[in-house]
Amino acid sequence: MNTELAEVVRSLRQFLGENDMMAYLVMMSNRLLEMHRVLKPNGSLYLHCDPTASHYLKVVLDGVFGHENFVNEIVWKRTSSKSDHTQGAKHRPRIHDTILHFAKDVHAATFHTAFLELDEEYVRKKFPHNEPDGRRYGLWDMSGPGGAAKGNPSYEVMGITRFWRYSKARMEQMILDGLVVQPSPGSVPREKRYLDDSEGVAVGDVWTDISPINSQAAERLGYPTQKPLSLLERIVAASSNEGDVVLDPFCGCGTAVHAAQKLNRRWVGIDITHLAISLIEKRLKDAFKGIEFEVHGTPKDFEGAKNLAERDKYQFQWWACSLVNAQPYGGKKKGADGGVDGIMFFQDDIRGSTPKKIIVSVKGGENVGVTMVKDLIATIIRQKAEIGLFVTLNPPTKPMIAEAAAAGFYNSPASGSFPKIQILEIEKLIEGHDEARYPHLDAGSLTFKKAAIEHGEDKQVDLFAVPVKASAKKKKN
Ligand SMILES: C[S@@+](CC[C@H](N)C(=O)[O-])C[C@H]1O[C@@H](n2cnc3c(N)ncnc32)[C@H](O)[C@@H]1O
């Protein structure tokens, strides 16, 4: 740890004592130090946090980057005002997150200003005049604020001597171009600015124009902390150029990675859970057709898979779902249906837009048996799914294979027949010797719904959304 940061951490520990907040700050300190180490001289770091920790993290970042490299504290309005007061809350609704922006070197950092459209009220006030051809303009003060002390030149324009913000030569050119107007004889000349020349208003450090991911948002994946893509796009676009590398060391469902890919940056995403990794793999493959990327740290053979299954059942299930490109379902909570570890949807019928379902059941244990296949058959009936994938680490027994074969076929109206129950061995999936079989249709084959490419997340469903409606309905009947 560098000495400034060590001082900061020591002081925080003295003040806070040993508790969860302190543990979090120490964990972050080490990681921020490493991020600072790998950052390019023109790079920036953005840290998104909520106001419970942002003030401590800002001091930690001062220790890591040096306070002179602080760039902005961005307030992102992440939700609408809530009516907490109706439940007796004695505070204002907490509706923002904080995004701290530091540069490795504030003078060398890449930065591109973003602009928003001018709002109507501003346009009305600032551009009140029209040329005969209808071109709209406003008149602006040209005096040099701070006078001589700020290096502004003093000279005469249209009979008025002042400190001006422009050099004499530039002023003369502006006069020739008709951009200097004396509103009335003897008044101070003003600069004519046209509305259609305006870049808009520079995005400041309070962001209220990016909506959170709500339950209806098309890009919603169901990952609890998912951020809107446009938020990450704004950040990536501001502080990098095409071809630069974006690193998100806590990448969750991969919003920063998605934004980086979309904006032609290279990227590295790190997350501790296989749930996040498998979700990102699917997200990217859906959004960017033909994309190629490497995944490190996931099992690469039978032994690796066995090891993961023994260490962590849920991580194993989440990873195994990624082998068949399924969305993991259920987390560690008991799901609405215990037989469902993953879920996929497809569409192969131009008559209706309701997606059809594939249920995935993952088994990491040695004792696989025919009852498990029977359970999967029962689950797909209950769930009104078309196909069931039985993904197993250990080889199936002969009765299991026979039971699966007896379940018959799903006959697709558009693309042939597919075994209703498919037993897939993990080793064969890893080696590319087997794969899930289900209707794959090109966008062109479907007339009712276009498979968007970059916006592939449009057709993704909630991570944890098992359509329980069907089973509920069945119970009633
Ligand atoms: C707040 S979420 C990130 C959300 C992300 N920005 C998005 O839009 O989806 C934090 C992520 O950090 C991951 N995480 C927690 N501890 C970690 C660690 N030590 N190393 C890597 N990832 C970690 C969690 O699994 C979680 O996905």
Side-chain angles (χ1 to χ4, degrees):
M1 216 177 254
N2 70 17
T3 38
E4 285 85 359
L5 179 60
E7 273 309 309
V8 168
V9 172
R10 223 190 322 270
S11 309
L12 283 170
R13 184 168 172 274
Q14 252 183 358
F15 172 61
L16 290 169
E18 288 185 7
N19 51 30
D20 287 353
M21 177 61 82
M22 193 60 219
Y24 170 70
L25 294 172
V26 170
M27 186 280 285
M28 288 302 290
S29 299
N30 290 325
R31 281 158 180 77
L32 290 168
L33 211 50
E34 285 304 296
M35 283 176 243
H36 180 261
R37 184 179 64 79
V38 299
L39 202 56
K40 286 268 158 52
N42 60 352
S44 280
L45 176 126
Y46 288 79
L47 178 60
H48 190 145
C49 43
D50 72 27
T52 44
S54 61
H55 51 309
Y56 299 129
L57 286 166
K58 194 171 173 198
V59 181
V60 168
L61 284 165
D62 277 347
V64 176
F65 283 76
H67 61 86
E68 66 283 4
N69 289 315
F70 166 70
V71 182
N72 276 125
E73 176 168 334
I74 298 161
V75 167
W76 173 49
K77 178 176 176 287
R78 65 170 164 75
T79 181
S80 309
S81 203
K82 293 184 191 131
S83 45
D84 296 7
H85 62 279
T86 56
Q87 287 155 356
K90 292 202 183 292
H91 57 79
R92 290 169 195 83
R94 294 174 178 135
I95 57 169
H96 84 277
D97 277 356
T98 299
I99 302 172
L100 299 169
H101 175 191
F102 278 73
K104 179 105 173 210
D105 171 356
V106 81
H107 303 293
T110 299
F111 189 77
H112 306 289
T113 304
F115 295 92
L116 292 175
E117 268 187 33
L118 300 173
D119 72 53
E120 272 179 36
E121 177 66 8
Y122 181 87
V123 169
R124 205 173 48 75
K125 274 198 185 142
K126 291 288 198 178
F127 297 92
H129 310 291
N130 285 306
E131 295 285 16
D133 64 1
R135 202 171 171 206
R136 209 160 163 164
Y137 68 92
L139 298 176
W140 300 68
D141 184 10
M142 290 192 294
S143 51
K150 290 275 177 191
N152 294 305
S154 171
Y155 51 88
E156 191 222 301
V157 179
M158 298 173 177
I160 306 290
T161 301
R162 284 276 156 110
F163 286 104
W164 303 105
R165 65 172 63 215
Y166 303 120
S167 68
K168 193 158 187 220
R170 181 156 175 208
M171 183 72 82
E172 279 165 2
Q173 186 59 50
M174 286 168 67
I175 293 170
L176 284 177
D177 293 341
L179 295 178
V180 178
V181 171
Q182 192 162 36
S184 56
S187 66
V188 180
R190 292 167 78 81
E191 178 185 349
K192 191 185 249 190
R193 286 192 195 168
Y194 288 101
L195 176 59
D196 56 14
D197 283 340
S198 165
E199 288 177 297
V201 60
V203 172
D205 57 5
V206 178
W207 296 357
T208 56
D209 59 317
I210 296 182
S211 311
I213 305 261
N214 63 39
S215 59
Q216 302 307 312
E219 69 182 86
R220 186 169 186 263
L221 297 164
Y223 200 79
T225 54
Q226 185 181 355
K227 306 294 178 299
L229 186 58
S230 48
L231 182 72
L232 272 301
E233 279 183 52
R234 179 172 289 174
I235 290 172
V236 170
S239 289
S240 65
N241 294 309
E242 287 200 2
D244 287 351
V245 179
V246 174
L247 166 68
D248 186 347
F250 298 89
C251 63
C253 63
T255 313
V257 159
H258 187 145
Q261 177 72 26
K262 187 173 169 191
L263 298 174
N264 295 323
R265 273 65 169 172
R266 292 173 292 154
W267 51 264
V268 179
I270 303 172
D271 202 282
I272 204 167
T273 72
H274 287 280
L275 175 67
I277 293 168
S278 50
L279 189 62
I280 295 174
E281 282 188 75
K282 178 159 168 51
R283 175 182 193 164
L284 292 178
K285 284 177 190 162
D286 282 350
F288 305 96
K289 297 294 168 208
I291 185 175
E292 286 181 14
F293 52 88
E294 287 173 24
V295 181
H296 298 270
T298 51
K300 298 283 183 270
D301 54 24
F302 178 85
E303 281 311 316
K306 185 163 174 261
N307 183 287
L308 180 60
E310 284 164 2
R311 276 189 292 120
D312 191 322
K313 178 181 163 195
Y314 295 101
Q315 296 273 351
F316 173 76
Q317 284 174 0
W318 295 334
W319 165 75
C321 282
S322 72
L323 292 175
V324 289
N325 209 21
Q327 303 239 29
Y329 165 69
K332 293 188 182 182
K333 286 178 282 176
K334 198 99 186 96
D337 191 318
V340 183
D341 298 319
I343 195 152
M344 302 160 76
F345 291 91
F346 64 92
Q347 286 175 314
D348 67 345
D349 187 346
I350 56 169
R351 282 168 304 177
S353 60
T354 312
K356 294 175 181 172
K357 235 181 298 175
I358 300 176
I359 297 292
V360 183
S361 173
V362 177
K363 302 290 172 205
E366 280 172 15
N367 298 324
V368 281
V370 73
T371 341
M372 294 174 177
V373 177
K374 286 182 178 158
D375 286 347
L376 178 58
I377 294 170
T379 306
I380 67 165
I381 293 169
R382 216 166 40 242
Q383 289 281 336
K384 297 201 166 142
E386 261 48 63
I387 292 174
L389 304 180
F390 188 95
V391 178
T392 171
L393 182 62
N394 287 292
T397 59
K398 279 191 184 148
M400 288 170 74
I401 296 170
E403 187 70 29
F409 289 87
Y410 164 66
N411 297 312
S412 162
S415 51
S417 295
F418 300 85
K420 226 171 169 32
I421 298 293
Q422 300 173 26
I423 301 182
L424 301 162
E425 280 182 58
I426 283 182
E427 194 173 11
K428 291 184 184 162
L429 290 171
I430 295 176
E431 288 170 357
H433 295 150
D434 203 357
E435 62 178 1
R437 278 147 286 155
Y438 55 92
H440 289 279
L441 295 180
D442 296 335
S445 321
L446 295 170
T447 53
F448 60 91
K449 191 163 185 184
K450 210 166 150 224
I453 296 194
E454 190 280 319
H455 298 295
E457 72 276 13
D458 284 353
K459 58 189 173 60
Q460 289 180 337
V461 291
D462 274 9
L463 183 58
F464 301 126
V466 145
V468 284
K469 249 184 166 170
S471 57
K473 205 168 154 197
K474 192 160 172 34
K475 270 187 214 147
K476 271 190 207 158
N477 287 345

